[in-house]
């Protein structure tokens, strides 16, 4: 049985429909990824990346250290290590003294 030659107009609209659905699927996927990202952020915000306990933010001058009092880890935000690098000699020692038990 011979195959009916396809109608160029039908092909055009089929391609448009496929493209529309591909775009919609990509948008749904991006939305799901964004929702998952937000859920992860809510779940992990200010939790220690090593032990999972709550981090406490302690200000020391213009540096805010996120400190875990469970595993004793200390965390810095973007740029804070660079800020510390500009401080006077002895700054890090004084910072560490704050957390010494
Ligand atoms: Zn910890």
């Amino acid at each position: 049985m011979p195959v009916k030659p396809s109608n160029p107009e039908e092909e055009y609209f089929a391609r448009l429909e496929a493209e529309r659905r591909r775009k919609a699927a990509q948008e749904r996927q991006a939305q799901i990824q964004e929702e998952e990202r937000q859920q992860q952020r809510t779940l992990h915000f200010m939790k220690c990346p090593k032990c999972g306990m709550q981090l406490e933010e302690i200000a020391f001058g213009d540096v805010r250290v996120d400190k875990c009092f469970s595993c004793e880890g200390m965390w810095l935000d973007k740029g804070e290590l660079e800020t510390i690098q500009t401080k006077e000699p002895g700054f890090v020692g004084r910072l560490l003294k704050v957390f010494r038990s």
Side-chain angles (χ1 to χ4, degrees):
M1 186 170 176
V3 175
K4 182 185 159 206
S6 58
N7 176 338
E9 195 174 321
E10 282 175 2
E11 279 182 25
Y12 172 76
F13 285 111
R15 266 203 320 276
L16 278 187
E17 181 63 13
E19 188 54 37
R20 188 184 68 77
R21 291 191 192 193
R22 175 179 294 117
K23 236 178 170 171
Q26 287 169 343
E27 285 168 6
R28 274 195 309 274
Q29 183 66 26
Q31 187 183 351
I32 288 167
Q33 285 174 346
E34 177 57 23
E35 285 169 7
E36 285 174 357
R37 200 183 67 78
Q38 287 298 337
Q39 285 172 355
Q40 291 296 314
R41 181 177 161 77
T42 301
L43 195 61
H44 299 290
F45 185 72
M46 287 302 279
K47 296 285 193 277
C48 177
K50 294 288 184 181
C51 75
M53 296 302 284
Q54 187 69 32
L55 294 173
E56 303 294 337
E57 187 179 81
I58 309 284
F60 187 72
D62 55 354
V63 174
R64 290 195 303 271
V65 174
D66 297 327
K67 172 73 178 171
C68 176
F69 288 104
S70 176
C71 72
E72 298 296 328
M74 290 171 63
W75 312 98
L76 299 170
D77 287 344
K78 178 183 180 186
E80 286 182 323
L81 189 57
E82 289 81 356
T83 300
I84 288 172
Q85 196 179 25
T86 67
K87 298 298 181 184
E88 70 283 358
F91 180 87
V92 172
R94 289 191 291 115
L95 174 65
L96 291 175
K97 215 185 264 180
V98 169
F99 297 106
R100 207 164 284 148
S101 54

